[in-house]
Amino acid sequence: MQTTDLIERLATDLRPTRSRVRLLGIATLIGAAVSVGLLLWVLGIRSDLARAIFTAAFWMKWGLALATGVVAFLLCVRLARPESKPGSLPLFLLLPLFAFSVAACLQLMNATHTERWGMWLGHSAVQCFWCIPLLAIPLLLGVLWAFRFFAPTRLRLAGFSAGLLAGAVAAVIYALSCQETSAAFVVTWYSAGMLFPALIGLIIGARVLRW
Amino acid sequence: MVASLDGDAAAYRDLLRELTGYLRAYYRCRVAYGAADAEDLIQETLIAIHSRRSSYDRSQPFTAWVYAMARYKLIDYLRKRRVRAAVPLDETDDLFAADETEHAAASQDLEQLLADLPASQREAIRLTKIEGLSIDEAALRTGQSASATKVGIHRGLKRLRLLWSRGDSDAND
């Protein structure tokens, strides 16, 4: 095909374009809606949510997950551009992790020796570790779909950010059902649950995000 | 490009035509197997620009975005072809010559930035920093005193930096 013909065809195909932030936001929201449905179907929301929403333990989970999610979202928006560099943004991921680790250490130091294991593993460590990545699947699909309209050139890093965003939003959703209260549990298992899809994204990024 | 993002097909057509020229210059001197491959790459890049135009940030320089797209496609092509640079040292002059387009395009962006400055500062910066005159020569040319020229340059650069970093932070949210 001649280049001039191609230009004609592209020009007739032109439609007004949405911004990156909006596209990614829509994709995340759709993925989140599916995840919430999945949560309701499989696990259900904790029965005392109305009371739990006023507790520090609940906001600890949301704090860690939301902070991670916001940074991952910004990272995705930035890496969507072909000419961009990640800059110092990834360092901000360590900030909430560090803060909550300190809180967890303080809490563990105040506990007795026998309590510590229980605080760290809780009642649902395994469930938490698997459910967050499972809830992240529809989110990851959504975010990767949004990346079809973007032009990432650092594919692995973009895949990692996409996975982290999916994992973080999945953690926010999972917190609606999770009954654990200790900071050590949240820092360990929520982080692990969020990191899992991020690593998946890192691995498949180079293949899936190619254009 | 901004008009194109809002759906102006005529502006978009003109833009793509103009870009084709830039891309042809870009690929011609980088692709070893001649015009046919370069033409394929141009078309691929145009398609990528079209289908991934959401990734353009309105507050950022357009040329940097286009060349990043073109570069990605070039690297992809080279990787697929498994081309490794193998040029005798004597002939390297050809390789490094004659690609002014990226420069020219970048200077267009620079002009846009400079346009935001007051006329006296803009003139002072252009004469000293771009045309390379000394401060005294520039002062003579504009009819200002040397110290006024110096102050103009200083304030102008400061303002440019501010404008630039503001554009940058817009892009991040």
Side-chain angles (χ1 to χ4, degrees), chain A residues 1 3 13 15 17 20 150, chain B residues 5 39 43 50 52 57:
Chain A
M1 185 167 47
T3 305
D13 184 46
R15 275 181 300 275
T17 312
R20 288 170 298 154
F150 303 154
Chain B
L5 286 179
E39 210 60 28
Q43 296 196 357
H50 178 73
R52 291 168 192 273
D57 191 318

Side-chain angles (χ1 to χ4, degrees), chain A residues 1 3 7-8 10 13-17 20 23 74 78 80-82 147-151 153 210-211, chain B residues 4-7 13 17 20 39 43 48 50 52-55 57 60 65 68-69 72-73 76 171-172:
Chain A
M1 185 167 47
T3 305
I7 290 176
E8 278 310 310
L10 294 183
D13 184 46
L14 183 72
R15 275 181 300 275
T17 312
R20 288 170 298 154
L23 257 173
L74 293 178
R78 183 179 283 195
R81 274 167 37 208
F147 263 94
R148 288 174 55 85
F149 301 95
F150 303 154
T153 47
R210 271 187 67 184
W211 45 282
Chain B
S4 313
L5 286 179
D6 294 331
R13 192 175 297 127
R17 282 207 192 110
T20 307
E39 210 60 28
Q43 296 196 357
H50 178 73
R52 291 168 192 273
R53 59 187 186 277
S54 297
S55 70
D57 191 318
Q60 296 287 304
W65 179 75
M69 300 289 262
Y72 180 87
K73 280 292 174 198
D76 197 45
N172 296 338

Side-chain angles (χ1 to χ4, degrees), chain B:
Chain B
M1 182 64 185
V2 172
S4 313
L5 286 179
D6 294 331
D8 182 344
Y12 189 52
R13 192 175 297 127
D14 291 344
L15 176 79
L16 289 183
R17 282 207 192 110
E18 199 180 329
L19 282 182
T20 307
Y22 282 119
L23 290 174
R24 194 164 286 140
Y26 181 83
Y27 285 128
R28 279 272 166 86
C29 57
R30 285 176 176 77
V31 174
Y33 294 101
D37 274 5
E39 210 60 28
D40 282 352
L41 273 170
I42 292 168
Q43 296 196 357
E44 266 189 48
T45 310
L46 288 178
I47 292 172
I49 284 174
H50 178 73
S51 59
R52 291 168 192 273
R53 59 187 186 277
S54 297
S55 70
Y56 173 59
D57 191 318
R58 291 167 193 237
S59 64
Q60 296 287 304
F62 177 61
T63 46
W65 179 75
V66 170
Y67 279 109
M69 300 289 262
R71 204 177 102 102
Y72 180 87
K73 280 292 174 198
L74 179 69
I75 291 173
D76 197 45
Y77 162 86
L78 292 177
R79 199 180 282 145
K80 251 186 263 169
R81 281 291 177 110
R82 302 203 177 282
V83 176
R84 294 283 176 273
V87 179
L89 274 179
D90 299 335
E91 294 170 24
T92 48
D93 282 353
D94 280 352
L95 268 185
F96 297 123
D99 179 36
E100 295 291 314
T101 47
E102 208 161 342
H103 255 98
S107 71
Q108 269 179 5
D109 285 337
L110 182 64
E111 288 296 322
Q112 266 180 17
L113 267 181
L114 280 177
D116 290 335
L117 294 180
S120 61
Q121 292 176 11
R122 181 169 62 229
E123 210 44 37
I125 288 180
R126 177 167 309 149
L127 289 175
T128 53
K129 301 293 176 195
I130 300 177
E131 291 181 21
L133 300 184
S134 74
I135 286 176
D136 289 331
E137 287 167 330
L140 210 64
R141 185 91 72 90
T142 56
Q144 286 178 318
S145 70
S147 56
T149 310
K150 251 189 236 174
V151 171
I153 294 169
H154 180 72
R155 291 204 181 133
L157 287 179
K158 203 163 158 190
R159 197 171 148 70
L160 275 184
R161 203 173 300 139
L162 197 74
L163 287 170
W164 182 249
S165 63
R166 194 186 302 151
D168 224 26
S169 64
D170 281 352
N172 296 338
D173 49 39

